[in-house]
Structures are given as structure tokens and as C-alpha cells.
Amino acid sequence: MEMILRSGPVIKLSLLVLAYLSVVSWAIIFFKFRVIRRAIRDSLRFQNFFWAKKRLDLVSQGLKNYQYSPLTVLFRDGYQEILRHQTDPNGKEQSLFSTDLGQSANVGRALRRAMTQERQRLEKFLTFLATTGSIAPFIGLFGTIWGIMDAFISIGQTGSTSLAVIAPGISEALVTTAIGLVAAIPAVVAYNHFVNKINLLAGEMDSFSQEFLNIVQRMPRRN
């Protein structure tokens, strides 16, 4: 702390930017960890629930118990697309569903749209982590270079090359590199971890979409 207080305004500004990046990154890490953990947990539970039921209308009644799963959103959008076409002449929902090729295409588009929206939701704020991991070391390096320049200027002004003159300036300069790495490393590790988990969820969404479409296509066609 003493070295930071003795440092120049450029180094202090670099440290302030790095502190901001680090604090925001940790806030995003805790938030995304909670969101993705819930999504994985509820997706597993929803898949078990979905295959345990024999009717889509019964599945739709239990969606509120799996609200954090992206698969729930896919099912809801696909099921609503089916209901949009499955009404009798009086406008009431039919208990036995029928479908045609045009409706299957509509359901497929609804599922793809839901997949895109859910992936965007899961990836929200990850760009900040990637940016922090990329630029934080360079900001720290900039502060270090600036501090070393100041140290050489001090050498030129004093005409002394003793460690007593050089060491304080260089040690102050190296602080920014250390803080830059402290900000960047957790951001990079967290980003890679979250991307891996989101890719797994995306694979589950794709598999569920295909299975849901297969169910829709196996329904009896409308006469």
C-alpha cells in the first residue's frame, strides 16, 4: 500500500482501472456460477420429469418447478406453437394432438429461436470476462513500463545507479503487472469454465429439440 501511495498518477490510474476490472469480474463470476449451476441442475431434473410423463399437457403443468432450465423454455415455446394450431372449431384445446409437416416446421423454428435466446442469456456478461483476461495484463505492463521510465529519469537526474535509487521506482512499477495478473487470471479461468458448461447445455438443448421434433412428427396427422 505504501508503494501504491508513493507511485505517480499514471500508475495510480492503471491500478484504479485494474481494480475496477477485477471487482466487476468477480461479481460476474459469482453471478454466472449461480445461474449456470441452476440451469444444469434444473435441466437434469426436467429431462427426468419430461420422459416420465406420457402427455405433453401434463409436462406443461409442471414447468414452474424447473424455471431455471433452458430446456423448459424450449419445451414451452414448442408446446405453445403446437397449441396455436391445435384447436377445435369452438376454439378449445384438443386433448389428443394432431400435426402436419407445416406445423413441424413451425415448431422447429420456435425451438431454434428459443435455443438462440437461451444461449445468449447464458453467455451474457462473459464478454467482459474475456475482455478483462485480454487487456488486464497489458494495462499492468503499461503501468510497469511507465514506472521504469520514471526510474530511469530519476537516475538521470541524480546521476546515481545505486539500488537505493533504482529499486523503489522499479518495485512500484512492478506492482501494476502483479495486479494485472491478479485481475486477468481468474477472469480467464472463469471464462473457459463457463464456456465449457454452456457448450454442454447447448448440446443438451440441441438433443432435446431433436427429440421434441421427433415426438411432434410421430403425432397422428390432421385429416
mmCIF file of all heavy atoms in Angstrom, residues 88-118:
data_model
loop_
_atom_site.group_PDB
_atom_site.id
_atom_site.type_symbol
_atom_site.label_atom_id
_atom_site.label_comp_id
_atom_site.label_asym_id
_atom_site.label_seq_id
_atom_site.Cartn_x
_atom_site.Cartn_y
_atom_site.Cartn_z
ATOM 1 N N ASP A 88 -60.108 -26.895 -31.737
ATOM 2 C CA ASP A 88 -61.283 -27.394 -32.444
ATOM 3 C C ASP A 88 -62.079 -26.220 -33.000
ATOM 4 O O ASP A 88 -61.728 -25.060 -32.782
ATOM 5 C CB ASP A 88 -62.131 -28.267 -31.506
ATOM 6 C CG ASP A 88 -62.619 -27.489 -30.290
ATOM 7 O OD1 ASP A 88 -62.647 -26.241 -30.366
ATOM 8 O OD2 ASP A 88 -62.987 -28.116 -29.288
ATOM 9 N N PRO A 89 -63.160 -26.450 -33.720
ATOM 10 C CA PRO A 89 -63.916 -25.345 -34.310
ATOM 11 C C PRO A 89 -64.434 -24.340 -33.293
ATOM 12 O O PRO A 89 -64.706 -23.198 -33.633
ATOM 13 C CB PRO A 89 -65.067 -26.064 -35.033
ATOM 14 C CG PRO A 89 -64.527 -27.422 -35.329
ATOM 15 C CD PRO A 89 -63.636 -27.759 -34.170
ATOM 16 N N ASN A 90 -64.597 -24.760 -32.020
ATOM 17 C CA ASN A 90 -65.079 -23.842 -30.993
ATOM 18 C C ASN A 90 -63.952 -23.090 -30.304
ATOM 19 O O ASN A 90 -64.176 -22.329 -29.368
ATOM 20 C CB ASN A 90 -65.879 -24.619 -29.940
ATOM 21 C CG ASN A 90 -67.120 -25.249 -30.541
ATOM 22 O OD1 ASN A 90 -67.781 -24.636 -31.387
ATOM 23 N ND2 ASN A 90 -67.440 -26.473 -30.101
ATOM 24 N N GLY A 91 -62.714 -23.346 -30.744
ATOM 25 C CA GLY A 91 -61.571 -22.639 -30.176
ATOM 26 C C GLY A 91 -61.022 -23.270 -28.918
ATOM 27 O O GLY A 91 -60.209 -22.665 -28.220
ATOM 28 N N LYS A 92 -61.439 -24.476 -28.576
ATOM 29 C CA LYS A 92 -60.949 -25.146 -27.381
ATOM 30 C C LYS A 92 -59.785 -26.058 -27.724
ATOM 31 O O LYS A 92 -59.718 -26.617 -28.811
ATOM 32 C CB LYS A 92 -62.069 -25.979 -26.740
ATOM 33 C CG LYS A 92 -63.238 -25.136 -26.258
ATOM 34 C CD LYS A 92 -64.302 -26.018 -25.635
ATOM 35 C CE LYS A 92 -65.482 -25.180 -25.143
ATOM 36 N NZ LYS A 92 -66.551 -26.028 -24.541
ATOM 37 N N GLU A 93 -58.884 -26.237 -26.747
ATOM 38 C CA GLU A 93 -57.731 -27.109 -26.973
ATOM 39 C C GLU A 93 -58.177 -28.554 -27.055
ATOM 40 O O GLU A 93 -59.047 -29.003 -26.303
ATOM 41 C CB GLU A 93 -56.706 -26.954 -25.842
ATOM 42 C CG GLU A 93 -56.071 -25.582 -25.779
ATOM 43 C CD GLU A 93 -55.059 -25.506 -24.656
ATOM 44 O OE1 GLU A 93 -54.823 -26.543 -24.015
ATOM 45 O OE2 GLU A 93 -54.528 -24.417 -24.430
ATOM 46 N N GLN A 94 -57.593 -29.303 -27.959
ATOM 47 C CA GLN A 94 -57.868 -30.720 -28.070
ATOM 48 C C GLN A 94 -56.959 -31.496 -27.121
ATOM 49 O O GLN A 94 -55.809 -31.141 -26.915
ATOM 50 C CB GLN A 94 -57.645 -31.204 -29.501
ATOM 51 C CG GLN A 94 -58.555 -30.535 -30.521
ATOM 52 C CD GLN A 94 -58.240 -30.988 -31.934
ATOM 53 O OE1 GLN A 94 -57.347 -31.790 -32.124
ATOM 54 N NE2 GLN A 94 -58.985 -30.481 -32.880
ATOM 55 N N SER A 95 -57.476 -32.578 -26.556
ATOM 56 C CA SER A 95 -56.671 -33.394 -25.655
ATOM 57 C C SER A 95 -55.736 -34.325 -26.418
ATOM 58 O O SER A 95 -54.689 -34.712 -25.933
ATOM 59 C CB SER A 95 -57.569 -34.216 -24.733
ATOM 60 O OG SER A 95 -58.436 -35.032 -25.505
ATOM 61 N N LEU A 96 -56.131 -34.706 -27.635
ATOM 62 C CA LEU A 96 -55.274 -35.525 -28.498
ATOM 63 C C LEU A 96 -54.770 -34.644 -29.623
ATOM 64 O O LEU A 96 -55.556 -34.064 -30.357
ATOM 65 C CB LEU A 96 -56.067 -36.708 -29.058
ATOM 66 C CG LEU A 96 -56.546 -37.731 -28.014
ATOM 67 C CD1 LEU A 96 -57.398 -38.786 -28.693
ATOM 68 C CD2 LEU A 96 -55.390 -38.347 -27.269
ATOM 69 N N PHE A 97 -53.475 -34.548 -29.745
ATOM 70 C CA PHE A 97 -52.891 -33.616 -30.694
ATOM 71 C C PHE A 97 -52.736 -34.267 -32.057
ATOM 72 O O PHE A 97 -52.507 -35.466 -32.171
ATOM 73 C CB PHE A 97 -51.519 -33.138 -30.193
ATOM 74 C CG PHE A 97 -51.604 -32.430 -28.879
ATOM 75 C CD1 PHE A 97 -51.071 -32.999 -27.745
ATOM 76 C CD2 PHE A 97 -52.245 -31.214 -28.789
ATOM 77 C CE1 PHE A 97 -51.157 -32.352 -26.527
ATOM 78 C CE2 PHE A 97 -52.336 -30.577 -27.576
ATOM 79 C CZ PHE A 97 -51.790 -31.143 -26.436
ATOM 80 N N SER A 98 -52.858 -33.459 -33.068
ATOM 81 C CA SER A 98 -52.560 -33.879 -34.425
ATOM 82 C C SER A 98 -51.657 -32.851 -35.044
ATOM 83 O O SER A 98 -51.592 -31.711 -34.595
ATOM 84 C CB SER A 98 -53.849 -34.005 -35.249
ATOM 85 O OG SER A 98 -54.520 -32.765 -35.314
ATOM 86 N N THR A 99 -50.936 -33.233 -36.069
ATOM 87 C CA THR A 99 -49.960 -32.317 -36.637
ATOM 88 C C THR A 99 -49.814 -32.569 -38.128
ATOM 89 O O THR A 99 -50.338 -33.528 -38.674
ATOM 90 C CB THR A 99 -48.585 -32.476 -35.947
ATOM 91 O OG1 THR A 99 -47.736 -31.444 -36.401
ATOM 92 C CG2 THR A 99 -47.960 -33.820 -36.267
ATOM 93 N N ASP A 100 -49.103 -31.688 -38.795
ATOM 94 C CA ASP A 100 -48.772 -31.856 -40.202
ATOM 95 C C ASP A 100 -47.362 -31.366 -40.409
ATOM 96 O O ASP A 100 -46.719 -30.866 -39.491
ATOM 97 C CB ASP A 100 -49.772 -31.119 -41.100
ATOM 98 C CG ASP A 100 -49.957 -29.669 -40.678
ATOM 99 O OD1 ASP A 100 -48.952 -29.056 -40.273
ATOM 100 O OD2 ASP A 100 -51.083 -29.165 -40.744
ATOM 101 N N LEU A 101 -46.875 -31.523 -41.636
ATOM 102 C CA LEU A 101 -45.482 -31.161 -41.901
ATOM 103 C C LEU A 101 -45.245 -29.677 -41.710
ATOM 104 O O LEU A 101 -44.176 -29.260 -41.251
ATOM 105 C CB LEU A 101 -45.111 -31.599 -43.324
ATOM 106 C CG LEU A 101 -45.101 -33.114 -43.563
ATOM 107 C CD1 LEU A 101 -44.758 -33.409 -45.015
ATOM 108 C CD2 LEU A 101 -44.135 -33.813 -42.627
ATOM 109 N N GLY A 102 -46.255 -28.833 -42.072
ATOM 110 C CA GLY A 102 -46.084 -27.399 -41.892
ATOM 111 C C GLY A 102 -45.948 -27.028 -40.441
ATOM 112 O O GLY A 102 -45.132 -26.188 -40.063
ATOM 113 N N GLN A 103 -46.734 -27.675 -39.591
ATOM 114 C CA GLN A 103 -46.640 -27.382 -38.169
ATOM 115 C C GLN A 103 -45.306 -27.840 -37.596
ATOM 116 O O GLN A 103 -44.728 -27.172 -36.736
ATOM 117 C CB GLN A 103 -47.781 -28.069 -37.424
ATOM 118 C CG GLN A 103 -47.794 -27.746 -35.928
ATOM 119 C CD GLN A 103 -48.973 -28.376 -35.238
ATOM 120 O OE1 GLN A 103 -50.022 -28.582 -35.833
ATOM 121 N NE2 GLN A 103 -48.806 -28.685 -33.971
ATOM 122 N N SER A 104 -44.789 -28.971 -38.059
ATOM 123 C CA SER A 104 -43.487 -29.438 -37.592
ATOM 124 C C SER A 104 -42.402 -28.417 -37.906
ATOM 125 O O SER A 104 -41.506 -28.173 -37.092
ATOM 126 C CB SER A 104 -43.147 -30.778 -38.244
ATOM 127 O OG SER A 104 -44.078 -31.772 -37.883
ATOM 128 N N ALA A 105 -42.489 -27.810 -39.095
ATOM 129 C CA ALA A 105 -41.514 -26.777 -39.460
ATOM 130 C C ALA A 105 -41.642 -25.571 -38.547
ATOM 131 O O ALA A 105 -40.637 -24.977 -38.136
ATOM 132 C CB ALA A 105 -41.710 -26.368 -40.912
ATOM 133 N N ASN A 106 -42.882 -25.203 -38.206
ATOM 134 C CA ASN A 106 -43.090 -24.069 -37.301
ATOM 135 C C ASN A 106 -42.543 -24.359 -35.913
ATOM 136 O O ASN A 106 -41.929 -23.492 -35.272
ATOM 137 C CB ASN A 106 -44.581 -23.735 -37.214
ATOM 138 C CG ASN A 106 -45.125 -23.163 -38.509
ATOM 139 O OD1 ASN A 106 -44.380 -22.600 -39.307
ATOM 140 N ND2 ASN A 106 -46.425 -23.313 -38.727
ATOM 141 N N VAL A 107 -42.768 -25.568 -35.435
ATOM 142 C CA VAL A 107 -42.234 -25.955 -34.130
ATOM 143 C C VAL A 107 -40.705 -25.941 -34.159
ATOM 144 O O VAL A 107 -40.065 -25.483 -33.206
ATOM 145 C CB VAL A 107 -42.759 -27.353 -33.734
ATOM 146 C CG1 VAL A 107 -42.060 -27.843 -32.458
ATOM 147 C CG2 VAL A 107 -44.265 -27.319 -33.520
ATOM 148 N N GLY A 108 -40.127 -26.420 -35.257
ATOM 149 C CA GLY A 108 -38.674 -26.400 -35.381
ATOM 150 C C GLY A 108 -38.112 -24.987 -35.323
ATOM 151 O O GLY A 108 -37.098 -24.742 -34.671
ATOM 152 N N ARG A 109 -38.779 -24.052 -35.983
ATOM 153 C CA ARG A 109 -38.322 -22.658 -35.938
ATOM 154 C C ARG A 109 -38.459 -22.082 -34.535
ATOM 155 O O ARG A 109 -37.582 -21.341 -34.075
ATOM 156 C CB ARG A 109 -39.120 -21.826 -36.943
ATOM 157 C CG ARG A 109 -38.691 -22.021 -38.391
ATOM 158 C CD ARG A 109 -39.295 -20.966 -39.297
ATOM 159 N NE ARG A 109 -40.747 -21.122 -39.408
ATOM 160 C CZ ARG A 109 -41.351 -21.864 -40.327
ATOM 161 N NH1 ARG A 109 -40.626 -22.524 -41.221
ATOM 162 N NH2 ARG A 109 -42.667 -21.950 -40.377
ATOM 163 N N ALA A 110 -39.550 -22.418 -33.854
ATOM 164 C CA ALA A 110 -39.734 -21.938 -32.485
ATOM 165 C C ALA A 110 -38.646 -22.469 -31.567
ATOM 166 O O ALA A 110 -38.120 -21.745 -30.708
ATOM 167 C CB ALA A 110 -41.115 -22.342 -31.969
ATOM 168 N N LEU A 111 -38.277 -23.726 -31.748
ATOM 169 C CA LEU A 111 -37.222 -24.320 -30.926
ATOM 170 C C LEU A 111 -35.872 -23.682 -31.210
ATOM 171 O O LEU A 111 -35.100 -23.400 -30.275
ATOM 172 C CB LEU A 111 -37.162 -25.827 -31.169
ATOM 173 C CG LEU A 111 -38.351 -26.646 -30.676
ATOM 174 C CD1 LEU A 111 -38.232 -28.086 -31.149
ATOM 175 C CD2 LEU A 111 -38.455 -26.593 -29.160
ATOM 176 N N ARG A 112 -35.566 -23.448 -32.478
ATOM 177 C CA ARG A 112 -34.281 -22.807 -32.820
ATOM 178 C C ARG A 112 -34.214 -21.392 -32.266
ATOM 179 O O ARG A 112 -33.158 -20.955 -31.782
ATOM 180 C CB ARG A 112 -34.079 -22.812 -34.334
ATOM 181 C CG ARG A 112 -33.774 -24.187 -34.920
ATOM 182 C CD ARG A 112 -33.307 -24.080 -36.355
ATOM 183 N NE ARG A 112 -34.350 -23.548 -37.223
ATOM 184 C CZ ARG A 112 -35.258 -24.300 -37.832
ATOM 185 N NH1 ARG A 112 -35.267 -25.612 -37.647
ATOM 186 N NH2 ARG A 112 -36.162 -23.745 -38.625
ATOM 187 N N ARG A 113 -35.331 -20.678 -32.352
ATOM 188 C CA ARG A 113 -35.361 -19.327 -31.805
ATOM 189 C C ARG A 113 -35.156 -19.337 -30.290
ATOM 190 O O ARG A 113 -34.404 -18.518 -29.747
ATOM 191 C CB ARG A 113 -36.697 -18.672 -32.161
ATOM 192 C CG ARG A 113 -36.825 -17.229 -31.675
ATOM 193 C CD ARG A 113 -38.059 -16.560 -32.263
ATOM 194 N NE ARG A 113 -39.286 -17.275 -31.878
ATOM 195 C CZ ARG A 113 -40.031 -17.974 -32.718
ATOM 196 N NH1 ARG A 113 -39.692 -18.095 -33.990
ATOM 197 N NH2 ARG A 113 -41.133 -18.586 -32.297
ATOM 198 N N ALA A 114 -35.789 -20.278 -29.613
ATOM 199 C CA ALA A 114 -35.627 -20.386 -28.165
ATOM 200 C C ALA A 114 -34.205 -20.774 -27.797
ATOM 201 O O ALA A 114 -33.638 -20.262 -26.818
ATOM 202 C CB ALA A 114 -36.619 -21.413 -27.608
ATOM 203 N N MET A 115 -33.584 -21.668 -28.578
ATOM 204 C CA MET A 115 -32.200 -22.056 -28.328
ATOM 205 C C MET A 115 -31.265 -20.861 -28.439
ATOM 206 O O MET A 115 -30.367 -20.674 -27.606
ATOM 207 C CB MET A 115 -31.771 -23.146 -29.302
ATOM 208 C CG MET A 115 -32.363 -24.514 -29.033
ATOM 209 S SD MET A 115 -31.849 -25.736 -30.266
ATOM 210 C CE MET A 115 -30.069 -25.680 -30.090
ATOM 211 N N THR A 116 -31.476 -20.046 -29.465
ATOM 212 C CA THR A 116 -30.627 -18.865 -29.651
ATOM 213 C C THR A 116 -30.780 -17.902 -28.488
ATOM 214 O O THR A 116 -29.787 -17.379 -27.952
ATOM 215 C CB THR A 116 -30.996 -18.160 -30.973
ATOM 216 O OG1 THR A 116 -30.794 -19.054 -32.062
ATOM 217 C CG2 THR A 116 -30.127 -16.919 -31.177
ATOM 218 N N GLN A 117 -32.005 -17.658 -28.068
ATOM 219 C CA GLN A 117 -32.250 -16.732 -26.972
ATOM 220 C C GLN A 117 -31.663 -17.242 -25.662
ATOM 221 O O GLN A 117 -31.077 -16.466 -24.892
ATOM 222 C CB GLN A 117 -33.755 -16.498 -26.828
ATOM 223 C CG GLN A 117 -34.373 -15.743 -27.992
ATOM 224 C CD GLN A 117 -35.881 -15.664 -27.909
ATOM 225 O OE1 GLN A 117 -36.520 -16.350 -27.092
ATOM 226 N NE2 GLN A 117 -36.480 -14.841 -28.746
ATOM 227 N N GLU A 118 -31.803 -18.539 -25.406
ATOM 228 C CA GLU A 118 -31.268 -19.100 -24.177
ATOM 229 C C GLU A 118 -29.746 -19.095 -24.163
ATOM 230 O O GLU A 118 -29.129 -18.833 -23.132
ATOM 231 C CB GLU A 118 -31.792 -20.525 -23.976
ATOM 232 C CG GLU A 118 -33.202 -20.580 -23.471
ATOM 233 C CD GLU A 118 -33.363 -19.857 -22.157
ATOM 234 O OE1 GLU A 118 -32.827 -20.322 -21.142
ATOM 235 O OE2 GLU A 118 -34.025 -18.789 -22.152
#
